[in-house]
Amino acid sequence: RDFNERCAQCSEVNWGLTDGGRFYCRSCHNVTERSREVVNTDFISNTRVQTISKHLRKQEKTGMCCEWYVCEGFQLILKKQAEALETLGVCPQMKDEILYNFWRHYLQKSKQAYCNRPAGEAVRALSVCDSSTDVDSEPERPSLLHFLSLSESEGDLQTDCSFASSTSKVSGSTSVLSGSVDGSLYLMKNQKEKLRMTMPMTLSFCYMALLWLREPMTLSDLLRFVVEGHIPYLNVFQHFPEKMKLHGLDLKIFFVESWPTYEEVYNKMLELAAYLDLPRFPDITDSCFLHPDMLCMKYLMEANLPDELHNWTCRVVKKICIGEVDFLTLVPGNKSTRKVKYDVLAVAVIVVVLKLLFLLDDHYEWLLSDFAEERNKNNKEGGLYFEFKKWYKVIKCSLDVEQKKLDEERAKYLWRCEKPLFYSAQKKSNVLKRRQMVVNLQNQFGKLSRSVRPAEKPNPSSFQFCWSEENTDGSCFHGHSLKGVLQEKRGLLTAMNTDYWLCTLKLCNEKLCGHLAHYKEVDFPQSYHFVLRLFSFLLRIQPSYIHDEVCVIEHKLFNKNLYKKKPKYNTGRRK
C-alpha cells in the first residue's frame, strides 16, 4: 500500500509482493528491483515474511526441491546454447537482444508470461494459497519475468531457487507425475495449438536469431557443432540448478536420444517465425556470407575443387536469379515463395556446374580425365589440368576415413547422462555410489581390452577437410586449370560438353510426396551419386535433399526448353 509508483510496463498501480519481498505488478506480472523495507521487525513477527524465511531454511535443511515450470527449463537451455554460440564467435547481441526478444515474444504469445493472466490450465495446477500466510487475498500465478533475462548469471538462478514458487507450500504445488509444476499439463494435446516448446525448437530459436543477424553460420554448421559437443543439447538438463529435480514426464520433455535433424529444425524455425508474426528478416545481399556466391566459394574449397569453378557457379546463380535479395530474404508467413536452405542451395549449384562441365554420366568425365592426364605428363611447365579421376581417388580416400570415424563415434556414443539423476536427498548417496562403481568397472574392463580412451572433442571449425597447396603429394586441386574442359567461342569460354541429362522431367508435389523428385542410387550414375554423397557428408543431410534442390535448379535453368510444345528432352539429354 505504501508503494504508489506506476508500473513501467503497463502504467498500472496494482502491486503485490513476491516470496523474495520484491514488488510485482498484478496486471502484467512485471517484477521491479524495489523490495519492501522493514523498519520494525517486532511488528511483523507473526506475518508472512517470517513464515517464508522459516520455510526456506527448512527447505535448505531437508534438501527439498523448488517449484519450477517447463518454460523455465527451456530458458536455461537457451541460455546455455546462446553462451556456447557466443564462445564460437557469434556477436553478444544475439543472446542479450535478439534471442531474448524472440523468447519473450514466444512466452507472451503462448500466454506463459508477459500477459494479464497466464494460461488457465497452468494456473489451475497450482494449489490454493493459504489465507493465514498470504498478505494478498487474490491467488495469483507467480511472476516469471525477473528470471527471463538470458544474460543472468547461473549463480543467481541457483540461489533464487524459489523463482517460480507460489505462496503455497512447495510440496503441495508440484505435479505428482513430474518434478516441474506443469509437466503433466505440458504434454496434453491442446498444448499443440500453442506451438509447444521442444528440444529441437531450442535450436530453431538459435538458428532464427543467427539468420536475423546474418551470422556466418549455416544450419548444417549449427547442427554439426551440436553433434561435436560444442553446443549443449544432449543431456543439457544436467546443468540445471541442483534444486530443479527432473523425473517422470520431465524426462520425456528434456531427455533426447537422437540427433537433431536438418528438416525438423528448419521447418520448426519457419513455423516459429510465422507464429511470432515476425517482420521481414534483414536482407541477404551479395556481401552476406549466406549469399550463394559466398557459400559456393566455401564449399568449393572444402570439396577440393578448382577455384575456376566459382566463375561458373556465379554465372548459374545470375542466370536463374537465385542471388536476388527478394529470393534469399526470409518473409515469415509468406506461402507464395519457396523458403531457401542456403547451404543446400549452394552445394546444389556446384553439382549442376559439375554436370554442365563433366556430365557425370560415368563415361564422359573419365575421357576428359584421361586427356588431362596425358597433357599433364607431356607439359610440366604450365599449370596442371584438372583430372577428375585423380580428384575422385583423393576425395574418396579421405571421405571413407571420415565417414568411418563418424559412424564409429555415433555407435559408441553414450546417451546416458554423466550426471546421475536422483529425486530425493536420501537416495543421493546411493545413486552416486552406484554411478562411481559403474565408472570404475568401465575403466577396469577398458584396461583389460586395451581400448583406446575417447579423444577430446576437436576444436570447432567451419571446415571439415583441410587442403593446402603447399602439399607436395599433389592432393590439392584448388589451383588446377579447367582448360581441358573449356573452349573459347565468340570471345567467351564455354564448355566443350554439349550434352546434359536431367535428373527428372517433372517435379513432384512436395506436400504430397515429401520430396520434389525421386532418388535411388541404382537409378543414377555412380559419379553423380559420389558427388551427392560428398556434399551430404559435409552438410550432414540425406543425398535426396540435395537431389531435390538440383532438380529445382535444373528446371529453372532449362525452363524454356522443358516447356516447349515439342520438347527436346524426351531422352533426358540436351544436344
Side-chain angles (χ1 to χ4, degrees):
R1 296 176 182 176
D2 299 332
F3 188 51
N4 298 323
E5 294 184 9
R6 292 186 177 273
C7 176
Q9 186 157 342
C10 67
S11 300
E12 294 289 334
V13 182
N14 187 14
W15 299 101
L17 281 175
T18 65
D19 291 349
R22 292 176 178 172
F23 291 101
Y24 75 94
C25 179
R26 293 181 185 174
S27 301
C28 67
H29 294 273
N30 179 35
V31 177
T32 67
E33 296 296 330
R34 293 284 300 275
S35 58
R36 186 175 184 179
E37 297 180 359
V38 179
V39 180
N40 188 358
T41 57
D42 297 333
F43 177 74
I44 58 172
S45 59
N46 295 322
T47 57
R48 181 175 172 234
V49 175
Q50 185 184 19
T51 305
I52 293 176
S53 63
K54 287 182 178 180
H55 172 67
L56 292 177
R57 286 197 298 268
K58 181 180 178 182
Q59 179 178 335
E60 292 177 358
K61 293 180 181 179
T62 58
M64 295 175 63
C65 62
C66 66
E67 285 184 351
W68 61 281
Y69 288 85
V70 172
C71 64
E72 292 170 321
F74 281 116
Q75 175 182 298
L76 287 172
I77 294 173
L78 284 172
K79 176 176 177 288
K80 293 291 183 181
Q81 292 175 345
E83 290 173 349
L85 287 170
E86 187 175 348
T87 303
L88 293 175
V90 176
C91 67
Q93 184 185 3
M94 179 225 171
K95 183 186 74 170
D96 298 331
E97 297 181 20
I98 306 303
L99 186 58
Y100 167 74
N101 288 329
F102 286 163
W103 177 243
R104 174 173 175 165
H105 194 185
Y106 170 78
L107 291 177
Q108 184 179 23
K109 189 82 173 180
S110 59
K111 297 183 180 180
Q112 298 182 60
Y114 294 102
C115 55
N116 292 332
R117 169 72 69 176
E121 292 181 354
V123 173
R124 287 195 297 271
L126 297 174
S127 60
V128 180
C129 299
D130 188 356
S131 59
S132 62
T133 59
D134 196 355
V135 175
D136 305 313
S137 59
E138 181 184 0
E140 293 281 347
R141 177 177 174 175
S143 175
L144 307 176
L145 305 190
H146 176 63
F147 302 92
L148 289 178
S149 176
L150 293 175
S151 60
E152 188 178 17
S153 63
E154 183 179 359
D156 295 337
L157 291 175
Q158 290 178 349
T159 55
D160 264 332
C161 64
S162 59
F163 53 85
S165 61
S166 65
T167 55
S168 60
K169 294 182 180 180
V170 174
S171 59
S173 297
T174 54
S175 173
V176 178
L177 301 177
S178 62
S180 59
V181 173
D182 56 343
S184 57
L185 293 173
Y186 200 79
L187 296 176
M188 286 187 174
K189 293 182 179 180
N190 54 3
Q191 293 292 327
K192 294 182 179 179
E193 301 175 358
K194 305 175 183 178
L195 192 61
R196 186 179 64 197
M197 190 70 183
T198 60
M199 284 300 297
M201 273 184 62
T202 60
L203 300 178
S204 299
F205 265 102
C206 292
Y207 179 60
M208 189 166 62
L210 292 172
L211 185 57
W212 185 274
L213 291 171
R214 297 174 292 184
E215 284 287 332
M217 182 182 294
T218 61
L219 179 55
S220 58
D221 290 333
L222 176 68
L223 298 182
R224 180 167 56 86
F225 290 147
V226 169
V227 174
E228 292 177 355
H230 302 296
I231 299 176
Y233 182 77
L234 300 175
N235 300 324
V236 68
F237 55 81
Q238 64 183 341
H239 300 296
F240 283 6
E242 190 69 24
K243 294 182 180 180
M244 287 179 62
K245 303 299 182 184
L246 285 86
H247 65 86
L249 295 178
D250 295 331
L251 297 179
K252 189 175 182 180
I253 298 172
F254 295 103
F255 186 67
V256 291
E257 290 185 313
S258 62
W259 301 108
T261 61
Y262 189 103
E263 285 295 313
E264 181 181 14
V265 175
Y266 181 79
N267 291 333
K268 280 296 182 182
M269 186 275 296
L270 297 179
E271 189 177 354
L272 186 61
Y275 176 76
L276 298 179
D277 296 325
L278 295 181
R280 176 187 170 107
F281 276 52
D283 292 344
I284 304 297
T285 61
D286 54 2
S287 61
C288 295
F289 177 82
L290 298 176
H291 194 274
D293 292 344
M294 294 286 190
L295 286 177
C296 283
M297 185 184 304
K298 173 196 173 185
Y299 291 119
L300 285 173
M301 294 176 61
E302 188 148 21
N304 198 13
L305 288 166
D307 299 333
E308 294 181 11
L309 283 175
H310 186 247
N311 296 327
W312 285 83
T313 58
C314 293
R315 291 172 63 177
V316 171
V317 169
K318 185 177 180 180
K319 177 72 175 179
I320 60 179
C321 301
I322 60 174
E324 302 295 330
V325 173
D326 292 337
F327 175 80
L328 296 173
T329 305
L330 176 63
V331 182
N334 188 357
K335 299 181 180 180
S336 60
T337 58
R338 188 168 183 265
K339 303 303 183 289
V340 181
K341 303 170 184 174
Y342 302 97
D343 40 10
V344 180
L345 177 66
V347 298
V349 170
I350 297 175
V351 174
V352 171
V353 169
L354 290 176
K355 288 180 66 178
L356 285 170
L357 299 181
F358 298 95
L359 198 58
L360 301 183
D361 65 345
D362 290 343
H363 178 68
Y364 185 72
E365 63 270 24
W366 306 122
L367 292 179
L368 292 177
S369 184
D370 293 338
F371 168 74
E373 184 179 4
E374 289 296 327
R375 190 267 176 194
N376 290 335
K377 289 181 180 179
N378 298 330
N379 187 7
K380 297 183 179 181
E381 296 180 358
L384 295 175
Y385 282 14
F386 176 70
E387 300 179 33
F388 187 89
K389 184 186 298 184
K390 187 177 180 181
W391 172 83
Y392 173 85
K393 293 179 179 179
V394 172
I395 294 296
K396 188 177 186 304
C397 180
S398 300
L399 181 60
D400 291 343
V401 172
E402 293 298 324
Q403 185 68 60
K404 182 179 179 181
K405 186 187 301 183
L406 178 63
D407 294 340
E408 290 179 352
E409 289 177 356
R410 290 189 173 184
K412 295 178 180 179
Y413 188 83
L414 297 177
W415 297 99
R416 182 174 297 180
C417 180
E418 295 180 1
K419 181 181 179 181
L421 298 175
F422 45 86
Y423 313 122
S424 65
Q426 291 79 8
K427 295 182 179 180
K428 180 176 180 179
S429 59
N430 294 333
V431 173
L432 291 177
K433 289 179 180 178
R434 189 178 303 173
R435 179 62 179 170
Q436 187 61 39
M437 185 183 301
V438 172
V439 173
N440 293 336
L441 288 175
Q442 288 178 345
N443 293 335
Q444 292 177 9
F445 281 111
K447 293 178 180 179
L448 292 174
S449 60
R450 296 181 180 179
S451 60
V452 182
R453 285 183 172 272
E456 296 181 359
K457 57 184 179 181
N459 294 327
S461 175
S462 297
F463 292 91
Q464 302 175 61
F465 294 103
C466 182
W467 311 102
S468 176
E469 296 183 8
E470 298 177 356
N471 295 342
T472 57
D473 56 356
S475 60
C476 181
F477 298 89
H478 291 160
H480 287 209
S481 174
L482 295 177
K483 292 181 179 180
V485 298
L486 301 178
Q487 61 181 357
E488 187 173 352
K489 188 176 182 180
R490 297 178 184 178
L492 296 175
L493 289 176
T494 60
M496 293 175 59
N497 170 42
T498 57
D499 295 337
Y500 191 94
W501 58 273
L502 290 172
C503 294
T504 183
L505 290 175
K506 186 178 180 180
L507 297 176
C508 299
N509 189 332
E510 191 173 11
K511 293 182 179 179
L512 298 177
C513 304
H515 288 279
L516 291 171
H518 153 86
Y519 180 76
K520 285 186 178 179
E521 180 182 352
V522 295
D523 296 336
F524 293 91
Q526 288 300 310
S527 297
Y528 176 73
H529 173 71
F530 174 77
V531 174
L532 290 189
R533 181 190 163 208
L534 169 62
F535 288 115
S536 66
F537 174 82
L538 296 178
L539 302 187
R540 299 292 198 271
I541 61 176
Q542 295 296 325
S544 56
Y545 293 116
I546 303 177
H547 177 75
D548 286 353
E549 201 66 40
V550 170
C551 294
V552 173
I553 293 175
E554 289 179 344
H555 277 248
K556 290 182 178 180
L557 193 60
F558 303 111
N559 179 62
K560 294 182 180 179
N561 294 323
L562 275 173
Y563 295 100
K564 285 183 178 180
K565 292 183 179 180
K566 295 181 180 180
K568 298 181 181 180
Y569 293 94
N570 295 330
T571 60
R573 287 183 176 271
R574 175 174 63 86
K575 296 184 179 180

